[in-house]
Amino acid sequence: MIVKRRVWITLLVPMPAWAAAPDVSIVTMLLSLALVLALIVGLAWLLRRLKLPGLAQQSNGIKIVSQLAIGQKERIMVVDVHGEQLVIGVTAAQIQLLKALDNPVPTTSTSPDSHSRFAHQLSQLLNRK
């Protein structure tokens, strides 16, 4: 009975060794960061190799040429469908054809926005052998 009390008292008394934080050096922290970054790059490479539908861009003949945000969830888009360009209105509830263009809008973009620049740099990084 006395032995059991001593065990419980020993377990309930706060010990400085139990409460001490582990010593984390800068080297350990940098190695952990490098491991996490390597894991992110490795998963990106794996997803690229698997070519899952929906994750990779598919060239099925439909491209967004241009878009303009009108509201929070509303936008006007120029979409190229197999060489024919359509102006559509997109809302949260529906997509409506506004006009079929007789004179197509040029699809070459001379100044890419920040998203496409990032996507281009990421694709170059992933395509390196």
Side-chain angles (χ1 to χ4, degrees):
M1 187 76 115
I2 295 174
V3 175
K4 288 184 180 180
R5 277 189 187 166
R6 287 183 186 166
V7 170
W8 280 107
I9 291 173
T10 305
L11 290 176
L12 295 177
V13 172
M15 299 282 243
W18 293 349
D23 292 331
V24 178
S25 67
I26 191 78
V27 175
T28 306
M29 184 177 59
L30 290 176
L31 286 175
S32 299
L33 178 63
L35 179 67
V36 169
L37 292 176
L39 182 67
I40 290 171
V41 171
L43 287 175
W45 176 82
L46 182 66
L47 284 175
R48 181 164 172 80
R49 291 292 176 193
L50 289 178
K51 295 182 182 176
L52 296 174
L55 292 178
Q57 288 184 350
Q58 299 175 358
S59 59
N60 54 4
I62 300 174
K63 291 184 280 186
I64 298 174
V65 176
S66 174
Q67 59 181 331
L68 174 68
I70 301 299
Q72 207 169 17
K73 294 183 180 180
E74 297 84 17
R75 60 187 62 241
I76 296 175
M77 304 173 81
V78 177
V79 181
D80 186 90
V81 181
H82 296 290
E84 182 182 4
Q85 290 188 351
L86 307 170
V87 179
I88 58 173
V90 180
T91 66
Q94 68 181 10
I95 299 172
Q96 186 172 358
L97 175 66
L98 301 177
K99 183 179 181 179
L101 293 179
D102 297 329
N103 300 325
V105 176
T107 59
T108 58
S109 61
T110 57
S111 62
D113 61 349
S114 62
H115 295 297
S116 63
R117 272 187 285 153
F118 174 74
H120 179 68
Q121 289 175 351
L122 182 63
S123 67
Q124 282 182 340
L125 179 68
L126 291 176
N127 285 334
R128 261 194 254 166
K129 300 281 179 181

